[in-house]
Amino acid sequence: MKKTLLILTTGLVAAGSAHAALITFNSFSNDAIGTGTATANESTAGLVVTRSTIAVGGVDQYLFAVSYTGSDFDGDTVNDTLTFNMRVSAMGANTVGGTEPAAEGQNYSGSVALDGVAANVFSNGSSFTVGNTLFSGGQTLIYSIEDISLNSLAGYQAVLNGFDQYRINEIGTSNSHQTVTGVGSDLFLADTNGSRTILLNGTVDEGGTAGYQDTLYVTARSPDGGGGNPQRMGILNVGFDITVDVIPEPSSAALLGLGALGLLLRRKRC
């Protein structure tokens, strides 16, 4: 019987190594064109944003094409290129629930069912609204990231962590603006008498219990008491994170298992 010496190497590069890079994109608004208001890691360096309006199913959507060349991900002293698209779409006449506290300016729990119809995204200055210049109860803005690519950078991947912030922007003098983040039940519902930044990974008061959102759904809710023109608001300054890291290789444990299987098969043949 022939003897076989099996040599396994375990010097693998694991995901989460020193190559990992977190890129924080902030202030994506209607006017985030060129370098505009948008930033990557709190800088406009290497960031180019172009915006287009596209018709999908008879309604208008906005598409932001983003190119970022501000980081060297693989350590070769040459900055790499990360590209992706951010789509802004909308729906109207959705069902929104919630029971608000007696005092304004607080947070409480709400619900959203996307049982409405597709609607036009409308731009009002820096803000996005739905259908017209205002953002009314039951209308939903939907933000999604698509087509993430590292172009010719081999051995690396870019992954969306999620959306983590947006800002309720008061348009004109008004009060009792309310938004619900997400789809389903027991959702974060914010109430404000003016403008307010919602940090989904922040403190509980800021919406932190919601956490990262793979797709960001922001739905307007009409206050129980009506308020004074609560629809006079829009959404701007959307933020999200993308992580670039080496593509994980098979673990050493998996390789040991494959090696043991190969050795067993070799012995059976002898």
Side-chain angles (χ1 to χ4, degrees), residues 9-142:
T9 59
T10 59
L12 300 175
V13 178
S17 67
H19 293 290
L22 176 69
I23 307 101
T24 299
F25 294 92
N26 283 327
S27 300
F28 272 72
S29 303
N30 179 46
D31 55 358
I33 306 169
T35 51
T37 60
T39 63
N41 291 341
E42 301 183 350
S43 172
T44 60
L47 183 64
V48 177
V49 183
T50 59
R51 184 197 66 193
S52 58
T53 305
I54 57 175
V56 178
V59 298
D60 289 339
Q61 301 180 356
Y62 279 74
L63 194 67
F64 292 83
V66 182
S67 175
Y68 175 63
T69 58
S71 295
D72 172 19
F73 301 123
D74 58 358
D76 64 355
T77 71
V78 177
N79 282 3
D80 301 296
T81 301
L82 168 68
T83 59
F84 59 89
N85 295 324
M86 184 182 79
R87 183 183 299 271
V88 187
S89 57
M91 293 183 67
N94 297 305
T95 300
V96 189
T99 302
E100 63 187 85
E104 294 182 346
Q106 297 185 14
N107 306 321
Y108 56 105
S109 178
S111 62
V112 173
L114 294 180
D115 50 8
V117 295
N120 291 311
V121 178
F122 189 88
S123 61
N124 188 330
S126 299
S127 302
F128 281 116
T129 61
V130 180
N132 52 38
T133 58
L134 304 174
F135 193 22
S136 302
Q139 295 179 336
T140 303
L141 283 166
I142 306 167

Side-chain angles (χ1 to χ4, degrees), residues 200-270:
L200 302 175
N201 283 330
T203 67
V204 172
D205 288 343
E206 297 166 331
T209 56
Y212 275 128
Q213 307 288 300
D214 293 335
T215 300
L216 177 63
Y217 297 89
V218 181
T219 301
R221 181 182 184 273
S222 298
D224 293 348
N229 299 312
Q231 73 277 16
R232 289 184 178 174
M233 64 171 171
I235 302 300
L236 49 66
N237 289 359
V238 169
F240 49 92
D241 294 342
I242 292 176
T243 294
V244 176
D245 200 354
V246 293
I247 297 174
E249 297 186 27
S251 67
S252 56
L255 287 178
L256 284 169
L258 290 174
L261 177 61
L263 183 58
L264 178 62
L265 291 174
R266 176 67 178 173
R267 285 176 174 173
K268 285 186 177 181
R269 289 175 183 173
C270 297

